[in-house]
């Protein structure tokens, strides 16, 4: 009996290790980090994206027609390339969509239209996101689910390719404000007419939300995009090849699950990458701060510098310094201070000073002293 229990425990441990190993090696797609001085301009000109390495491209070869109308992609029928980017400090996802189609269907206003459909789940909360998939059966396909649930924690965009005489996309849910400035923007470049073949260039950016409700942006919570973080993201191309046909000519999906359009757990993993080597400074000083006790005028400083660093020197602007990487400093007097961080490493030195960002005022303790 003991041998049997030992075998069961060992088997369970091996199974746990196998799961852990799988999660560590699970593949992900990369999101290119644009330098702050090279943010792509949304004008339909793809030149801004030339700096993005080929390893970031997601092409037609990674899509599958999960309606099984086609066994494999045919570049002569439809050929797409997608790049995704981000900028550190901005909660925006940038997209370049380049597509050749042998028949562009966009003569009508509605869903009988070539569509690039994307779903984004910025915090990977997962789960259903549309009214039809509401976990409470009593709320399936209800107006209550539509207004309180649909597209709230993850968002679905039906982007019309191209859009003529209509808005650039359907933000599928009760929050159409997410597709408008300052939360999204788009631009096209093409020279074909409905029914013709040709190449389309679409540039756009969107803002992912952890909460986006029908009441508007007042209560909205943007997904915070940070370097190294994974997000849920997926897309499909709905290809129509006959304006008179009832159905489409393919639903080309990046997910293995057809219903990824309404279930964020079926999205793919995309990682917000650090800058490519050629865009990194060998050493760069950067820091932030937070007042953690106003009464004692205590400020916590955090080093955010990049590169190989051997030493730090903080000048707090009040005649005192520190060599700690993340010091906490108490100011003796209220005031506005010029704080400077100096760093040094094998690749050189750097500094960053901030003028009057750090300001502390008189607190309760000062008032108590004066009253005594």
């Amino acid at each position: 009996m003991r041998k049997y229990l030992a075998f069961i425990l060992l088997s369970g441990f091996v199974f746990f290790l196998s799961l852990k190993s799988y999660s560590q090696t699970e593949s992900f797609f990369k999101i290119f980090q644009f330098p702050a001085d090279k943010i792509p301009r949304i004008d339909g000109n793809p030149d801004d994206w030339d700096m993005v390495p080929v390893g970031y491209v997601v092409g037609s070869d990674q899509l599958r027609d999960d309606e099984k109308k086609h066994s494999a992609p045919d570049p002569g029928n439809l050929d797409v390339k997608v790049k995704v980017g981000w900028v550190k400090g901005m909660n925006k996802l940038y997209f370049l969509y380049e597509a050749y189609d042998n028949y562009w269907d966009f003569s009508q206003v509605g869903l009988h239209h070539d569509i690039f459909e994307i779903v984004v789940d910025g915090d990977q909360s997962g789960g259903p996101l549309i009214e039809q998939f509401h976990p409470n059966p009593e709320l399936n396909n209800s107006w209550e689910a539509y207004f309180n649930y649909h597209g709230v924690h993850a968002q679905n965009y039906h982007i019309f390719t191209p859009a003529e005489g209509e808005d650039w996309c359907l933000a599928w849910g009760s929050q159409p404000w997410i597709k408008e400035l300052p939360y999204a923007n788009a631009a096209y470049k093409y020279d074909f007419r409905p029914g013709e073949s040709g190449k389309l260039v679409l540039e756009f950016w969107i803002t992912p939300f952890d909460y986006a409700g029908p009441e508007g942006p007042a209560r909205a919570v943007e997904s915070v995009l940070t370097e190294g973080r994974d997000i849920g993201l997926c897309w499909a191309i709905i290809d129509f090849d006959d304006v008179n046909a009832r159905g489409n000519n393919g639903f080309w999906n990046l997910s293995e699950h057809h219903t990824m359009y309404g279930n964020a757990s079926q999205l793919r993993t995309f990682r917000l990458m650090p800058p490519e080597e050629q865009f990194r400074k060998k050493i760069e000083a950067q820091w932030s701060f937070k007042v953690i006790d106003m009464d004692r005028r205590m400020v916590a400083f955090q080093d955010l510098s990049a590169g190989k660093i051997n030493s730090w020197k903080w000048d707090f602007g009040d005649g005192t310094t520190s060599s700690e990487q993340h010091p906490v400093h108490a100011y003796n007097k209220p005031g506005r201070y010029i704080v400077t961080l100096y760093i040094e490493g094998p690749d050189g030195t750097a500094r960053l000073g901030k003028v009057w960002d750090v300001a502390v005022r008189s607190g309760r303790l000062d008032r108590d002293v004066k009253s005594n």
Side-chain angles (χ1 to χ4, degrees):
M1 183 65 178
R2 290 180 179 177
K3 291 183 178 180
Y4 179 76
L5 288 175
F7 174 78
I8 294 296
L9 290 173
L10 179 60
S11 299
F13 181 69
V14 171
F15 178 69
F16 170 77
L17 289 179
S18 68
L19 287 178
K20 184 176 180 181
S21 175
Y22 176 78
S23 65
Q24 290 175 343
T25 59
E26 187 177 16
S27 62
F28 59 86
F29 295 96
K30 298 190 297 184
I31 302 178
F32 177 79
Q33 184 177 150
F34 282 98
D37 60 346
K38 293 179 172 28
I39 300 174
R41 183 172 178 174
I42 305 302
D43 57 3
N45 185 340
D47 291 352
D48 295 342
W49 295 78
D50 288 346
M51 70 181 75
V52 181
V54 67
Y56 287 83
V57 177
V58 182
S60 296
D61 58 322
Q62 300 187 66
L63 306 177
R64 54 188 285 273
D65 178 17
D66 57 17
E67 293 187 345
K68 297 182 170 49
K69 296 174 182 175
H70 304 273
S71 59
D74 177 6
N77 177 53
L78 178 69
D79 190 24
V80 302
K81 293 181 177 63
V82 183
K83 297 177 183 178
V84 189
W86 76 296
V87 180
K88 191 173 184 177
M90 299 172 64
N91 299 327
K92 299 178 180 178
L93 293 174
Y94 290 81
F95 293 81
L96 175 65
Y97 176 75
E98 297 179 287
Y100 167 82
D101 196 345
N102 66 339
Y103 186 107
W104 287 100
D105 192 337
F106 60 104
S107 62
Q108 301 180 24
V109 175
L111 293 177
H112 194 296
H113 199 302
D114 287 332
I115 291 174
F116 178 47
E117 180 177 3
I118 67 170
V119 184
V120 59
D121 180 11
D123 61 359
Q124 288 192 311
S125 55
L129 61 111
I130 64 175
E131 62 187 273
Q132 294 94 321
F133 298 163
H134 196 286
N136 184 346
E138 295 181 1
L139 295 179
N140 287 161
N141 289 304
S142 68
W143 282 113
E144 183 177 355
Y146 180 77
F147 282 103
N148 296 329
Y149 179 78
H150 196 132
V152 170
H153 78 278
Q155 294 78 49
N156 178 306
Y157 299 78
H158 285 59
I159 303 170
F160 303 119
T161 54
E164 284 192 359
E166 61 183 330
D167 212 347
W168 72 282
C169 81
L170 156 70
W172 195 19
S174 58
Q175 53 286 93
W177 54 269
I178 67 173
K179 65 180 177 180
E180 301 170 353
L181 286 168
Y183 306 106
N185 195 21
Y188 300 89
K189 183 178 180 181
Y190 61 94
D191 60 3
F192 49 78
R193 303 306 307 149
E196 295 179 352
S197 63
K199 180 181 178 180
L200 175 138
V201 176
L202 165 65
E203 279 188 292
F204 66 96
W205 57 263
I206 59 173
T207 305
F209 290 89
D210 294 343
Y211 176 82
E215 67 275 6
R219 290 183 57 217
V221 179
E222 295 183 9
S223 302
V224 178
L225 304 182
T226 56
E227 191 172 291
R229 179 177 178 177
D230 291 343
I231 67 169
L233 180 64
C234 201
W235 56 75
I237 292 91
I238 307 173
D239 183 30
F240 285 88
D241 274 1
D242 185 349
V243 70
N244 297 313
R246 289 186 178 183
N248 62 60
N249 188 43
F251 189 92
W252 295 96
N253 200 338
L254 186 60
S255 172
E256 295 181 355
H257 307 277
H258 177 74
T259 52
M260 65 84 192
Y261 58 80
N263 190 335
S265 297
Q266 298 172 351
L267 306 182
R268 302 298 298 271
T269 299
F270 280 72
R271 182 162 298 172
L272 299 158
M273 300 301 292
E276 290 292 308
E277 186 68 32
Q278 64 268 35
F279 300 117
R280 300 180 198 171
K281 293 182 179 179
K282 291 186 176 180
I283 188 168
E284 182 178 20
Q286 186 57 266
W287 56 273
S288 66
F289 74 97
K290 184 177 182 180
V291 179
I292 58 175
D293 189 331
M294 182 59 75
D295 288 332
R296 293 175 173 79
R297 293 181 292 275
M298 293 182 67
V299 182
F301 294 90
Q302 183 178 15
D303 169 49
L304 301 173
S305 303
K308 297 178 181 178
I309 303 169
N310 295 332
S311 65
W312 297 260
K313 178 184 177 183
W314 294 84
D315 182 340
F316 298 120
D318 62 351
T320 65
T321 62
S322 172
S323 60
E324 296 181 29
Q325 184 179 4
H326 307 293
V328 175
H329 180 64
Y331 286 91
N332 290 327
K333 297 179 181 180
R336 294 180 288 266
Y337 294 93
I338 300 174
V339 178
T340 307
L341 170 62
Y342 300 85
I343 58 174
E344 184 174 351
D347 294 317
T349 62
R351 74 176 186 188
L352 179 64
K354 298 185 180 184
V355 179
W356 293 359
D357 282 24
V358 179
V360 290
R361 63 186 181 187
S362 297
R364 177 179 53 82
L365 296 179
D366 298 298
R367 294 191 294 271
D368 291 344
V369 170
K370 289 180 180 180
S371 64
N372 292 331

